[in-house]
Amino acid sequence: MPCNSPIIVALDLPDMAAAVTMADRLDPAQCRLKVGKELFTATGPAIVEALQSKGFEVFLDLKFHDIPNTTASAVRSAAELSVWMVNVHASGGRRMMEACREVLERRSGPRPLLTAVTVLTSLEQEDLQEVGIDIEPMVQVQRLARLTQDCGLDGVVCSAREAKALRNALSEDFKLVTPGIRPDDASVDDQKRIVTPRQAMENGSSYLVIGRPITRAEDPAAAVSDILDSLNS
Ligand SMILES: O=c1ccn([C@@H]2O[C@H](COP(=O)(O)O)[C@@H](O)[C@H]2O)c(=O)[nH]1
């Protein structure tokens, strides 16, 4: 059954056992799951299959960033795992993103959503300056999001702080996938550009990526329900 919830739980966990135990505490009707670099490096594709067999749609968040041929081939391999979403870094540029879109268009059958990371939510203006980008995150995000839409991808990963501006500038169905989500009482951790779940939805986020506030909660399912309730209150 397709999931209607905007919540994507980031399973930043060390191994198959920890991830499966967490998945068993969650409900595929209430959230999708995100497999990132730590878990995928530890388990390989087996984790994707294990989560799908429990009814979850999986966002494979490996943020590919390489030359066009290498990145497009990685995206094709991800599609072969029947993941719901896969992503690349928008700063890989136009030719890279177009190659990724084209490789998916050439495949028959269902295609994953293809999104591109703009500016990581752990970065703020000083961090950008240090790597030679002398503009505010908002400006860089808008630039990369326009490029991503122009390359025909389905959406971007950005902070919900930028979501309102992007919603006004980009097409209605362009997906805004927003990590850096923190309920009011949650620890900020290493995130910088944070937004509450409710504010993120009000700003126009399509999906809320939430890791530690759920996976480190005493009752992860209750944490998901509380966040969903906060969106409707
Ligand atoms: O800009 C980005 C892109 C990806 N992420 C990922 O989202 C989760 C967030 O986890 P929290 O525990 O809620 O901070 C994590 O897997 C990141 O790799 C991001 O945070 N920012």
Side-chain angles (χ1 to χ4, degrees):
M1 197 200 293
C3 174
N4 292 321
S5 165
I7 297 181
I8 303 173
V9 178
L11 292 186
D12 292 320
L13 298 167
D15 54 35
M16 174 77 82
V20 167
T21 302
M22 182 58 64
D24 285 338
R25 301 181 73 182
L26 297 169
D27 177 353
Q30 296 218 308
C31 60
R32 296 180 173 85
L33 299 179
K34 183 174 87 65
V35 173
K37 292 183 170 88
E38 178 188 8
L39 186 56
F40 195 80
T41 303
T43 65
I47 186 62
V48 174
E49 219 175 291
L51 299 175
Q52 288 167 335
S53 74
K54 293 179 181 294
F56 288 97
E57 291 185 308
V58 174
F59 170 16
L60 188 61
D61 176 27
L62 298 181
K63 302 184 187 71
F64 298 129
H65 190 180
D66 210 312
I67 61 171
N69 178 62
T70 304
T71 312
S73 302
V75 165
R76 185 178 51 225
S77 293
E80 277 157 19
L81 300 177
S82 302
V83 296
W84 165 75
M85 183 183 287
V86 60
N87 62 358
V88 300
H89 267 285
S91 52
R94 177 182 292 279
R95 284 184 296 110
M96 186 201 88
M97 287 198 277
E98 286 180 344
C100 293
R101 173 181 51 77
E102 284 162 13
V103 86
L104 291 181
E105 283 172 354
R106 284 198 293 273
R107 287 187 85 247
S108 54
R111 293 201 278 127
L113 291 168
L114 177 61
T115 56
V117 178
T118 54
V119 175
L120 293 168
T121 54
S122 55
L123 301 177
E124 53 193 348
Q125 184 153 11
E126 299 88 82
D127 300 302
L128 294 189
Q129 253 161 14
E130 273 193 335
V131 295
I133 300 171
D134 288 328
I135 51 177
E136 286 179 23
M138 173 72 89
V139 178
Q140 178 70 351
V141 169
Q142 285 180 297
R143 175 187 287 175
L144 291 173
R146 273 194 297 270
L147 176 65
T148 302
Q149 181 172 261
D150 212 37
C151 292
L153 273 64
D154 299 298
V156 285
V157 180
C158 61
S159 162
R161 288 194 188 176
E162 293 102 34
K164 203 178 265 180
L166 295 185
R167 260 295 147 251
N168 293 330
L170 302 169
S171 70
E172 219 176 287
D173 60 346
F174 195 67
K175 309 281 186 268
L176 303 180
V177 182
T178 58
I181 300 295
R182 288 292 181 272
D184 274 330
D185 54 351
S187 159
V188 172
D189 307 310
D190 51 355
Q191 298 285 2
K192 291 292 183 193
R193 304 195 327 280
I194 61 165
V195 179
T196 64
R198 188 182 171 132
Q199 188 62 55
M201 294 306 289
E202 285 174 5
N203 289 358
S205 292
S206 315
Y207 300 108
L208 310 177
V209 176
I210 313 175
R212 290 161 286 187
I214 292 172
T215 58
R216 293 192 181 169
E218 212 167 291
D219 182 345
V224 172
S225 297
D226 288 349
I227 293 169
L228 288 173
D229 289 347
S230 78
L231 302 182
N232 299 319
S233 63

